[in-house]
Amino acid sequence: LAKTTQPISMDSYEGQEVNITCSHNNIATNDYITWYQQFPSQGPRFIIQGYKTKVTNEVASLFIPADRKSSTLSLPRVSLSDTAVYYCLVGDHIVGNYQLIWGAGTKLIIKP
Amino acid sequence: NAGVTQTPKFQVLKTGQSMTLQCAQDMNHNSMYWYRQDPGMGLRLIYYSASEGTTDKGEVPNGYNVSRLNKREFSLRLESAAPSQTSVYFCASSLDPGTSGRTDTQYFGPGTRLTVL
């Protein structure tokens, strides 16, 4: 049973801010939200992780509203090299029962 | 640091053949994982090893076996390959498995593209 729902694809232009929203209505109290980026023919790469409110690092921001039923990955001033598939994950690890359900992701295409 | 390395990069098997996919990490991580990714899909966890000496089944373990050879190495074996196992296989590692509700950051290898005829 998928834990997250995100758009299949999005387009944007160089220099724009891109926001990708993920829905996770059944998120559990302890669950964190994690985003990965995957380029063609490569393994995924960690972008950001958060639990509530806002998290920012050198490449992205993650906005999580109070009810935590959705989250938004924000990529500032994208470039062509940001073209990739982005995965939103709600993972939980309980000793002896590891689950990390990956959806199909959002294919982001950046145009010049 | 090489990070996570996988061998081979490509492999073609005939139905019924066996093979072992190798994975090694040089980050002194405790946890390692094997995933498969089918075209247009997300990753699905096959097996994982939370720490040296332990292995556990993931979402899709049937048809696979694993060995955590030591802290650095985690291999995946297909005993009798089937066309349904045609996929890209990724190995990953993390410092620890995480705590309840939170998974630790995973670092992925470049993948092995496997075709079973």
Side-chain angles (χ1 to χ4, degrees):
Chain A
L1 182 65
K3 288 189 173 183
T4 62
T5 303
Q6 47 183 128
I8 293 173
S9 64
M10 293 179 66
D11 291 352
S12 188
Y13 293 90
E14 281 191 296
Q16 299 294 307
E17 178 183 75
V18 171
N19 295 312
I20 306 174
T21 297
C22 178
S23 172
H24 28 80
N25 290 320
N26 297 322
I27 189 168
T29 303
N30 290 341
D31 283 351
Y32 279 65
I33 299 141
T34 309
W35 286 81
Y36 281 81
Q37 174 193 57
Q38 186 178 27
F39 297 113
S41 301
Q42 293 185 27
R45 184 177 69 172
F46 173 86
I47 303 175
I48 198 166
Q49 184 180 72
Y51 181 79
K52 62 180 179 180
T53 61
K54 177 183 174 182
V55 180
T56 298
N57 62 22
E58 63 275 10
V59 298
S61 294
L62 178 60
F63 298 92
I64 305 167
D67 66 6
R68 303 198 331 117
K69 292 185 183 299
S70 66
S71 58
T72 300
L73 174 72
S74 181
L75 304 173
R77 292 187 294 280
V78 293
S79 65
L80 296 176
S81 63
D82 291 314
T83 293
V85 178
Y86 292 82
Y87 294 96
C88 164
L89 305 166
V90 174
D92 74 280
H93 168 68
I94 301 171
V95 175
N97 181 24
Y98 185 98
Q99 293 189 43
L100 189 57
I101 308 298
W102 298 70
T106 296
K107 186 173 184 178
L108 175 65
I109 298 173
I110 305 301
K111 303 175 183 178
Chain B
N1 287 350
V4 179
T5 57
Q6 294 183 236
T7 55
K9 287 186 169 53
F10 301 92
Q11 184 70 48
V12 178
L13 294 177
K14 295 181 180 178
T15 297
Q17 288 185 315
S18 62
M19 78 161 296
T20 299
L21 281 65
Q22 306 288 352
C23 174
Q25 52 90 10
D26 63 1
M27 296 175 282
N28 202 32
H29 284 171
N30 292 305
S31 303
M32 298 185 74
Y33 313 83
W34 275 106
Y35 291 93
R36 61 176 288 174
Q37 185 174 35
D38 300 323
M41 306 278 289
L43 281 74
R44 289 186 292 171
L45 184 65
I46 304 172
Y47 272 94
Y48 69 99
S49 172
S51 61
E52 186 179 358
T54 69
T55 60
D56 284 288
K57 295 178 181 179
E59 182 185 357
V60 289
N62 291 343
Y64 306 94
N65 285 301
V66 291
S67 295
R68 183 74 183 266
L69 304 170
N70 48 55
K71 190 172 185 178
R72 290 187 64 247
E73 298 172 289
F74 190 38
S75 63
L76 178 72
R77 182 160 178 84
L78 287 70
E79 291 291 352
S80 179
S84 60
Q85 294 178 305
T86 293
S87 189
V88 179
Y89 290 84
F90 288 101
C91 177
S93 71
S94 65
L95 181 59
D96 288 299
T99 58
S100 179
R102 185 191 65 79
T103 55
D104 208 11
T105 301
Q106 295 188 21
Y107 298 83
F108 286 80
T112 294
R113 189 173 297 273
L114 175 68
T115 301
V116 182
L117 303 175

